[in-house]
Amino acid sequence: DTAVSQTPKYLVTQMGNDKSIKCEQNLGHDTMYWYKQDSKKFLKIMFSYNNKELIINETVPNRFSPKSPDKAHLNLHINSLELGDSAVYFCASSQDLGGGYGYTFGSGTRLTVV
Amino acid sequence: DAKTTQPTSMDCAEGRAANLPCNHSTISGNEYVYWYRQIHSQGPQYIIHGLKNNETNEMASLIITEDRKSSTLILPHATLRDTAVYYCIVLFSGGYNKLIFGAGTRLAVHP
């Protein structure tokens, strides 16, 4: 039973399209995150959510709109996709905002914009 | 959060201990040292964390110097599957934290 699951695993789409990535965690954690890993392999935090509420938006363009219907789910919708959005997107969760017990990451969604 | 410095890359022979160093000279008293790793194409994986005492779990050991300015992650018997990028991260205890990844150390375990 996967702790943090993301769908789809791969996504290829054309510039200008709108796409969504879904994330679910079955760990009972309160806090969820989206990270982006670009071609240079740096992992950058995008959003933090706690109990469905947005805590931090790390200066991500407003074409990216996360939505958390409940604390077990955090989806990422991207409008008007650009070439620079091509990356691997990781969802993660932690027990609380402090993250002191460690983060659990999903296996990633590889987004390719052509 | 305090910054960390790690070597860019390291090699280790299979079956030997891999010792990965990390400098965090500006760490404050209530900041923990965390280690994560990312095996190729997978999501990062939590390994271990500690405050000032040495810690051990089924994956690794963490040795923190007495002045807490540096630490070493030890994989006692490295296997090929331990080839990954290892990240040393300092996190404040309590309140809101965000896990910030640096460049990490690329560990290559060879036969």
Side-chain angles (χ1 to χ4, degrees):
Chain A
D1 212 18
T2 306
V4 179
S5 57
Q6 299 178 226
T7 52
K9 190 169 177 62
Y10 299 96
L11 189 51
V12 181
T13 188
Q14 290 187 326
M15 275 175 38
N17 283 350
D18 303 337
K19 289 294 177 186
S20 292
I21 306 172
K22 295 186 175 182
C23 178
E24 176 182 3
Q25 55 97 359
N26 62 8
L27 298 167
H29 286 172
D30 285 344
T31 310
M32 296 185 72
Y33 313 84
W34 278 109
Y35 279 79
K36 178 182 179 181
Q37 188 166 38
D38 58 24
S39 57
K40 295 182 179 177
K41 303 297 184 185
F42 284 106
L43 271 158
K44 294 180 182 176
I45 190 167
M46 299 174 69
F47 299 101
S48 301
Y49 265 75
N50 189 64
N51 276 321
K52 305 189 301 178
E53 290 190 14
L54 176 67
I55 302 297
I56 289 288
N57 173 343
E58 295 286 338
T59 62
V60 176
N62 57 15
R63 296 184 297 104
F64 291 79
S65 52
K67 283 190 171 52
S68 182
D70 55 60
K71 76 172 193 177
H73 296 83
L74 181 62
N75 305 322
L76 184 65
H77 188 76
I78 315 171
N79 290 326
S80 304
L81 277 154
E82 301 177 357
L83 293 177
D85 298 332
S86 295
V88 181
Y89 292 83
F90 290 100
C91 177
S93 71
S94 64
Q95 189 165 334
D96 52 33
L97 279 173
Y101 296 100
Y103 286 34
T104 303
F105 284 81
S107 56
T109 295
R110 183 173 294 276
L111 171 65
T112 303
V113 182
V114 297
Chain B
D1 294 326
K3 290 192 182 298
T4 62
T5 305
Q6 299 177 251
T8 303
S9 63
M10 295 182 67
D11 285 321
C12 179
E14 191 176 18
R16 304 296 294 267
N19 297 291
L20 291 90
C22 179
N23 285 321
H24 32 79
S25 58
T26 60
I27 194 170
S28 63
N30 51 8
E31 287 182 317
Y32 285 72
V33 180
Y34 283 77
W35 284 84
Y36 284 76
R37 72 180 181 184
Q38 186 175 24
I39 296 170
H40 180 62
S41 297
Q42 297 181 22
Q45 176 189 24
Y46 164 81
I47 302 173
I48 198 167
H49 74 280
L51 182 64
K52 53 183 178 180
N53 297 323
N54 298 337
E55 303 288 344
T56 296
N57 63 20
E58 64 279 3
M59 289 183 68
S61 294
L62 174 60
I63 308 297
I64 303 174
T65 57
E66 196 169 337
D67 64 7
R68 302 187 69 241
K69 293 185 177 182
S70 65
S71 60
T72 301
L73 178 74
I74 301 172
L75 308 178
H77 306 286
T79 70
L80 299 179
R81 287 174 296 179
D82 292 321
T83 292
V85 179
Y86 287 78
Y87 300 96
C88 169
I89 302 168
V90 169
L91 272 185
F92 176 72
S93 169
Y96 169 65
N97 273 308
K98 50 187 180 181
L99 209 58
I100 306 294
F101 290 86
T105 296
R106 185 170 296 277
L107 175 70
V109 181
H110 50 84

